Amino acid sequence: MLRRVILTGLLAAPVLLSGCEDKPTPTKPPPEVFVTEARVQPYYPNRTFNAHIDSKSDVAISAEVSGKLVAIHFREGDEVEAGTPLFEIDPAPYKAAVSRARAELAQAEANRTSASRNFSRAEKLVKDGYISASEFDSLEARKLEAEAAVEAAKAALESAQVDLEYTTIKAPQAGRLGRARPAVGDVVGPNSGPLTTLVGKEGMEVVFQVPERL
């Protein structure tokens, strides 16, 4: 019994010894190193800021006369030249006003002609004593009133023509148009506020705020 145990122990010894031998450690490849030649280069630091583009020649387009808007001749973002029609206000009542002013001017001119003739006759009659001085003064006053009425009628006609021209709203300068605020059919006028905005092509600038601590 004792001999078997000894032999078994001797047989197991080589196995234990072989299990204790060191295994070879795998080697890692050397790391790659990139080498760059140092050079002197200019450095331009930069910062980013929020900004918006502004124009010094912005124009708010408004109506000079009141009336129903019958046409819009542009779309938002269109570029136009000075004098381009933008809006049309119903011109019918203003055309009627021009016709009425012309008729009143014609009547005033006719009255002036009659008063001038009567005054010319009075100048001869007063010299011969056929009319009194007071009658002559009265005819002279009528002549002056008729002349003043003609000037007033001319001014009224000119004003009516200007109002008629204002029914077509034109671009005062070249530029890019914003959104049309009213729609066709709306009643607009001097108190309606800006109808649109025209941004001029000149005088553009970028506006932004720089913080105190950069």
Side-chain angles (χ1 to χ4, degrees):
M1 177 67 66
L2 182 61
R3 184 178 299 173
R4 284 183 186 174
V5 172
I6 294 173
L7 289 175
T8 303
L10 291 174
L11 290 173
V15 176
L16 293 174
L17 290 175
S18 62
C20 293
E21 292 180 359
D22 294 335
K23 296 182 178 179
T25 303
T27 59
K28 297 181 179 180
E32 296 183 3
V33 179
F34 298 94
V35 179
T36 302
E37 181 181 356
R39 296 180 182 179
V40 178
Q41 296 181 350
Y43 172 63
Y44 302 102
N46 60 78
R47 295 289 301 272
T48 301
F49 303 97
N50 294 327
H52 67 273
I53 298 176
D54 194 8
S55 173
K56 295 182 179 179
S57 57
D58 286 4
V59 178
I61 307 298
S62 302
E64 297 291 337
V65 294
S66 300
K68 182 184 295 185
L69 195 64
V70 295
I72 300 176
H73 299 295
F74 70 93
R75 292 181 297 180
E76 182 180 358
D78 284 353
E79 290 190 3
V80 296
E81 299 297 329
T84 302
L86 305 178
F87 298 94
E88 289 285 345
I89 296 174
D90 186 9
Y94 297 96
K95 288 181 178 179
V98 169
S99 298
R100 183 169 55 254
R102 283 176 179 167
E104 292 175 352
L105 174 59
Q107 183 178 0
E109 289 175 340
N111 293 337
R112 181 186 61 180
T113 301
S114 177
S116 297
R117 289 175 180 175
N118 291 334
F119 178 73
S120 297
R121 296 190 188 100
E123 286 180 322
K124 297 178 182 180
L125 294 174
V126 74
K127 291 179 181 179
D128 298 335
Y130 291 107
I131 62 173
S132 64
S134 61
E135 289 176 331
F136 175 79
D137 291 341
S138 177
L139 292 171
E140 184 180 15
R142 291 178 184 176
K143 173 181 173 294
L144 295 176
E145 289 176 358
E147 291 175 349
V150 169
E151 295 303 319
K154 287 181 179 178
L157 175 59
E158 183 178 355
S159 178
Q161 289 174 333
V162 169
D163 288 344
L164 178 59
E165 291 178 359
Y166 280 152
T167 59
T168 300
I169 303 174
K170 299 179 181 180
Q173 65 179 11
R176 187 182 297 276
L177 290 161
R179 179 178 61 87
R181 293 180 174 87
V184 172
D186 291 345
V187 176
V188 298
N191 297 325
S192 301
L195 306 181
T196 188
T197 302
L198 178 61
V199 180
K201 297 180 179 179
E202 303 296 334
M204 303 296 291
E205 60 183 9
V206 179
V207 180
F208 60 93
Q209 295 181 348
V210 179
E212 295 182 0
R213 299 181 63 182
L214 296 177

